[in-house]
Amino acid sequence: MCPRSEDFHRTVLMLGDLALYAHTAGADQDFIDAIGPCLAASLPEPPPGIFPPGYDPTDGPEYPGQGW
C-alpha cells in the first residue's frame, strides 16, 4: 500500500476508534471534542479508487441556511 493510502486508512481507523470510545461509559467528552475535529481535518485526499469516477463531494442537496 502506498504511504498516501496508509495515511488515509490509518486516520479513518482512528476516527472509528474514537467513535467507539465516545460510546463507552465514562468517556472523556473534552478529549473527544478536541481530538475528533483534529483527526477529521487531518484526513488526506482519499486514495484513487475510493470514490467512483466523477464523484463530487460538494454536489448534493442544499441544507437550511446554505441557499442564498
Side-chain angles (χ1 to χ4, degrees), residues 2-4 8-9 11 13 16-17 19-20 22 25-27 37 39-40 42-44 47 51 53 63-64 67:
C2 71
R4 182 173 164 196
F8 179 78
H9 290 209
T11 305
L13 286 174
D17 288 342
L20 289 174
L39 280 174
S42 71
L43 275 172
F51 297 113
Y63 292 93

Side-chain angles (χ1 to χ4, degrees), residues 17-65:
D17 288 342
L18 184 65
L20 289 174
Y21 171 70
H23 288 87
T24 61
D28 183 349
Q29 191 61 45
D30 290 333
F31 174 79
I32 295 164
D33 291 343
I35 300 302
C38 295
L39 280 174
S42 71
L43 275 172
E45 288 291 321
I50 295 290
F51 297 113
Y55 175 77
D56 181 4
T58 62
D59 186 30
E62 288 188 17
Y63 292 93

